[in-house]
Amino acid sequence: MTKIITTKAVRLKYGNSEALHGIDLDFEAKQLTTLIGPSGCGKSTFLRCLNRMNDDIPNVHISGDIKFEGHDIYTNKTDLVALRKEVGMVFQQPTPFPFSVFDNVAFGLRLARIKDKALIEERVIESLKQAAIWNETKDVLNRNAQRFSGGQQQRICIARALAVRPKVVLLDEPTSALDPISSAEVEQTLIQLKRQYTFIMVTHNLQQASRISDQTAFFMNGDLIESGATEKMFIKPKRQMTNDYLNGRFG
Amino acid sequence: MSKKDTENLKDVVNQAIDSQQVVHVKLKDIGQKDVDIDKLTRPSKETHQEYWGRGLSYLAIGLIILLVGSIIGFVGIHGLATFFRDHVNLWQFLSSTDWDPTSGPNHVGALVMIVTSFLVTLLSALVATPFAVAVALFMTEYASKKAASFLQSIIELLVGIPSVVYGFLGLTLVVPVIRAIFGGTGFGILAGMLVLFVMVLPTITSLTVDALNAVPKHFRQASAALGATHWQTIARVVLKVATPRILTAVIFGMARAFGEALAVQMVIGNAVLMPYNLVTPSSTLTSQLTTQIGNTVMGTLANNALWSLALLLLVMSLFFNILVRMIGKKGAK
């Protein structure tokens, strides 16, 4: 198996307080990895390092080594635009723009200056199908994306992220703002897609992590405690702390 | 279940009942004699305060409605007298350029003022909007907090300058420059437009800043995560999402320009001549009102004709308000 993203000794400071104390974690290509851990453990912060979304926050200092396909993404020469086309992101709150479904999904393509209308249309349809939202949107592609249900909106956002054909998609608690039925829809979508893309997902829902992920990494107070195959970790965790967390003794 | 377990269970149940009984006893203790029946059947002090508060706010609202109603009524009665008592034709009022109300009802045509008012308003808004949007974008997207608050206070200062000062500046600075470049007197729509441009700029800017700040942050993040540059995010998401509110800002600016009297009157020239170009003297609805109101006698046609201009201004401001509401509703959809 190939490692698509590798990180070494990643430290992140907000001003004077360190939020990540040196994380070493590699991600396998075409696998779904979940990052779990109690609130404030740094898992979201770490996720946002992987496509440099933390850059916009003032007073953040990141050190260490993060490589995407062997290339350091924290050099001065790194093109953020190019990086984010390869490493897409879906947020906790569904964030469709108040445009039509079509314009939402086509957004990234148009950013990339793709002018070919037929190609855009083809990609939009394909992406909506991949995100398992095509049946609900095919007759209403011109409807404002914000007029759909939360689960539908989130799947439109997944389609939007997929439209530029990223290699990696980061998901920051993609179902925590959704009701159980909508969450199940999104999970189903992710299960169907995980052989084609690399997903890295932060979640608070341990059942969700065990249901859909191949790899799991457990974070605690800014440290990576344990990582490995999901099944192994949930059945026989190596560390006592992981065991306690998975059994609901804290967190 | 073993015998011992049953015993334990009984104990637990008994304990629970005991603790309930304590509550029960306490409830009994309150008794009927402790409840003040008088208090229950009469409104309390707080209830009276409630009546008072509600009454006061209804009274204030009533007064304001009365005030607005009487203003509209008064302007309406006098403004419409031109048409009903003096038998001026409404179409003639709106389409004739012959304005000389002292000469009789056939000389009451307001087209010059209408055209000039609209021209200065539209032109000043047209010129001010790109500047306002640019300044607002700088303040919300690029400037540091310090710079943004510095600009904010400059804008507030610009709003606070009395219009007579703007007019005076226009008269001393703008008019001579126009005279030097284009010849003629220098008075006219161009001078009016330039003065109004400075006056509506802060209005449009500060409302546009609000519009841009109202664009949720997660839209910007989502756009950045899709590989958009800062500028692409601004052009394709922020401005697009904020458009209805920016239009509202422009209309508020236009309403201010349309209603501005003093500053315009000082630089427009106040001749009731059709403006065939931007540098000949003309007259707006407001400037005609301010310059002529002292020269007429209440009840005469000349006076009523001015009231008609006032009515037109009132109707226009109503129109601007409706426009703002319509755009707001469309934006909410």
Side-chain angles (χ1 to χ4, degrees), chain A residues 48 53 81 84-85 89 91 95-99 107 110-111 144 146 160-161, chain B residues 218-229 232-233 236-237 240-241 333:
Chain A
R48 294 165 61 90
M53 285 301 282
V81 173
R84 287 171 185 170
K85 286 209 169 81
M89 190 164 197
F91 298 87
T95 54
F97 302 125
F99 317 150
F107 187 84
R110 289 179 180 151
L111 284 180
N144 189 328
Q146 295 195 320
R160 184 175 66 185
Chain B
H218 61 244
F219 284 158
R220 293 167 217 254
Q221 282 196 349
S223 173
L226 284 163
T229 60
Q232 280 178 318
T233 299
R236 289 165 194 242
V237 179
K240 216 167 159 186
V241 174
K333 259 181 200 169

Side-chain angles (χ1 to χ4, degrees), chain B residues 233-271:
Chain B
T233 299
I234 291 171
R236 289 165 194 242
V237 179
V238 177
L239 284 179
K240 216 167 159 186
V241 174
T243 298
R245 290 191 62 170
I246 295 175
L247 282 180
T248 309
V250 173
I251 291 166
F252 270 115
M254 282 170 69
R256 177 157 194 226
F258 200 81
E260 176 51 44
L262 206 52
V264 174
Q265 179 230 306
M266 290 166 82
V267 298
I268 199 93
N270 302 311

Side-chain angles (χ1 to χ4, degrees), chain A:
Chain A
M1 253 186 277
T2 50
K3 313 262 188 219
I4 189 158
I5 292 181
T6 56
T7 70
K8 245 192 201 88
V10 174
R11 286 171 184 275
L12 181 140
K13 275 184 189 167
Y14 291 112
N16 284 328
S17 70
E18 197 173 74
L20 296 173
H21 315 304
I23 307 290
D24 301 296
L25 185 58
D26 297 346
F27 296 95
E28 308 278 355
K30 314 232 159 144
Q31 295 257 303
L32 199 159
T33 307
T34 47
L35 312 180
I36 58 170
S39 296
C41 68
K43 56 196 190 305
S44 279
T45 305
F46 178 70
L47 187 79
R48 294 165 61 90
C49 288
L50 303 179
N51 68 342
R52 293 187 58 173
M53 285 301 282
N54 286 328
D55 287 18
D56 302 334
I57 303 167
N59 277 328
V60 163
H61 184 75
I62 300 164
S63 66
D65 198 30
I66 303 179
K67 285 190 172 129
F68 170 73
E69 292 195 322
H71 304 288
D72 190 348
I73 61 168
Y74 275 86
T75 63
N76 290 333
K77 283 184 190 156
T78 307
D79 184 23
L80 280 187
V81 173
L83 172 69
R84 287 171 185 170
K85 286 209 169 81
E86 297 294 336
V87 185
M89 190 164 197
V90 174
F91 298 87
Q92 178 177 10
Q93 285 288 336
T95 54
F97 302 125
F99 317 150
S100 71
V101 174
F102 189 93
D103 287 346
N104 261 285
V105 181
F107 187 84
L109 302 169
R110 289 179 180 151
L111 284 180
R113 305 203 183 282
I114 296 175
K115 292 281 193 304
D116 185 350
K117 281 196 177 148
L119 177 67
I120 292 181
E121 198 175 321
E122 190 192 306
R123 278 280 190 91
V124 168
I125 293 171
E126 214 178 284
S127 307
L128 286 168
K129 279 180 182 164
Q130 283 192 333
I133 181 78
W134 173 243
N135 283 336
E136 289 135 282
T137 54
K138 64 182 173 194
D139 301 322
V140 284
L141 285 174
N142 286 322
R143 190 195 283 176
N144 189 328
Q146 295 195 320
R147 285 173 59 197
F148 289 86
S149 76
Q152 289 171 328
Q153 287 186 19
Q154 194 63 299
R155 280 178 289 150
I156 290 170
C157 290
I158 293 174
R160 184 175 66 185
L162 296 180
V164 289
R165 298 288 174 267
K167 291 217 171 79
V168 180
V169 180
L170 310 176
L171 304 136
D172 192 357
E173 299 184 42
T175 62
S176 66
L178 305 179
D179 64 84
I181 292 169
S182 303
S183 305
E185 290 165 0
V186 172
E187 273 184 33
Q188 211 53 47
T189 302
L190 294 176
I191 290 172
Q192 280 166 19
L193 285 171
K194 69 179 183 180
R195 294 290 162 260
Q196 298 167 52
Y197 295 92
T198 307
F199 287 111
I200 303 171
M201 177 169 84
V202 165
T203 184
H204 274 290
N205 185 333
L206 297 176
Q207 277 84 33
Q208 183 177 60
S210 69
R211 268 197 303 267
I212 69 174
S213 71
D214 307 304
Q215 305 283 328
T216 302
F218 171 55
F219 282 70
M220 178 85 195
N221 296 334
D223 284 311
L224 176 67
I225 305 299
E226 182 173 346
S227 68
T230 302
E231 230 169 285
K232 270 190 200 158
M233 196 198 244
F234 272 75
I235 294 170
K236 205 165 187 291
K238 279 178 249 161
R239 307 270 300 261
Q240 185 58 37
M241 219 189 269
T242 318
N243 191 30
D244 288 351
Y245 181 71
L246 293 178
N247 288 307
R249 276 195 264 276
F250 67 87

Side-chain angles (χ1 to χ4, degrees), chain B residues 27-333:
Chain B
L27 277 177
K28 258 187 190 167
D29 268 358
I30 292 173
Q32 227 172 1
K33 62 176 193 302
D34 288 326
V35 178
D36 190 344
I37 296 294
D38 266 8
K39 262 194 180 167
L40 277 178
T41 51
R42 259 185 306 169
S44 66
K45 197 179 157 193
E46 288 76 8
T47 316
H48 274 298
Q49 279 177 343
E50 162 88 14
Y51 291 150
W52 263 102
R54 219 189 307 172
L56 270 174
S57 71
Y58 280 145
L59 191 75
I61 290 166
L63 271 173
I64 286 168
I65 290 174
L66 194 74
L67 195 70
V68 172
S70 47
I71 288 173
I72 293 175
F74 191 82
V75 175
I77 286 166
H78 285 273
L80 291 174
T82 319
F83 308 107
F84 291 107
R85 230 184 46 212
D86 302 317
H87 304 292
V88 171
N89 184 314
L90 177 66
W91 177 242
Q92 184 209 324
F93 175 75
L94 293 174
S95 67
S96 162
T97 57
D98 179 8
W99 178 261
D100 187 12
T102 43
S103 310
N106 289 329
H107 302 277
V108 186
L111 187 65
V112 171
M113 278 80 81
I114 294 170
V115 168
T116 309
S117 272
F118 273 98
L119 269 180
V120 286
T121 303
L122 286 174
L123 286 174
S124 59
L126 211 64
V127 179
T129 304
F131 283 94
V133 172
V135 173
L137 276 178
F138 178 76
M139 283 170 68
T140 54
E141 302 288 334
Y142 292 108
S144 65
K145 266 190 186 152
K146 245 184 183 172
S149 78
F150 175 69
L151 276 171
Q152 182 73 37
S153 52
I154 287 188
I155 285 165
E156 276 157 18
L157 187 75
L158 281 177
V159 175
I161 296 176
S163 57
V164 65
V165 177
Y166 281 113
F168 198 24
L169 284 168
L171 190 63
T172 0
L173 297 173
V174 179
V175 171
V177 170
I178 292 174
R179 188 187 302 139
I181 298 173
F182 297 100
T185 58
F187 293 99
I189 290 179
L190 184 62
M193 178 200 100
L194 288 174
V195 169
L196 282 177
F197 158 69
V198 184
M199 293 182 72
V200 299
L201 189 65
T203 310
I204 302 180
T205 306
S206 61
L207 288 171
T208 303
V209 167
D210 294 345
L212 296 178
N213 279 333
V215 176
K217 211 179 165 191
H218 61 244
F219 284 158
R220 293 167 217 254
Q221 282 196 349
S223 173
L226 284 163
T229 60
H230 197 166
W231 179 249
Q232 280 178 318
T233 299
I234 291 171
R236 289 165 194 242
V237 179
V238 177
L239 284 179
K240 216 167 159 186
V241 174
T243 298
R245 290 191 62 170
I246 295 175
L247 282 180
T248 309
V250 173
I251 291 166
F252 270 115
M254 282 170 69
R256 177 157 194 226
F258 200 81
E260 176 51 44
L262 206 52
V264 174
Q265 179 230 306
M266 290 166 82
V267 298
I268 199 93
N270 302 311
V272 187
L273 295 169
M274 198 61 183
Y276 290 107
N277 61 50
L278 299 182
V279 291
T280 51
S282 189
S283 186
T284 63
L285 292 165
T286 48
S287 74
Q288 191 60 25
L289 270 174
T290 51
T291 50
Q292 296 304 315
I293 207 83
N295 303 336
T296 60
V297 180
M298 196 74 168
T300 60
L301 172 62
N303 187 265
N304 286 342
L306 290 180
W307 280 111
S308 300
L309 297 186
L311 183 62
L312 201 58
L313 282 168
L314 203 75
V315 171
M316 278 312 298
S317 74
L318 193 70
F319 169 74
F320 282 130
N321 270 322
I322 291 169
L323 212 59
V324 164
R325 275 173 179 264
M326 268 167 46
I327 290 171
K329 261 190 199 155
K330 217 181 155 200
K333 259 181 200 169

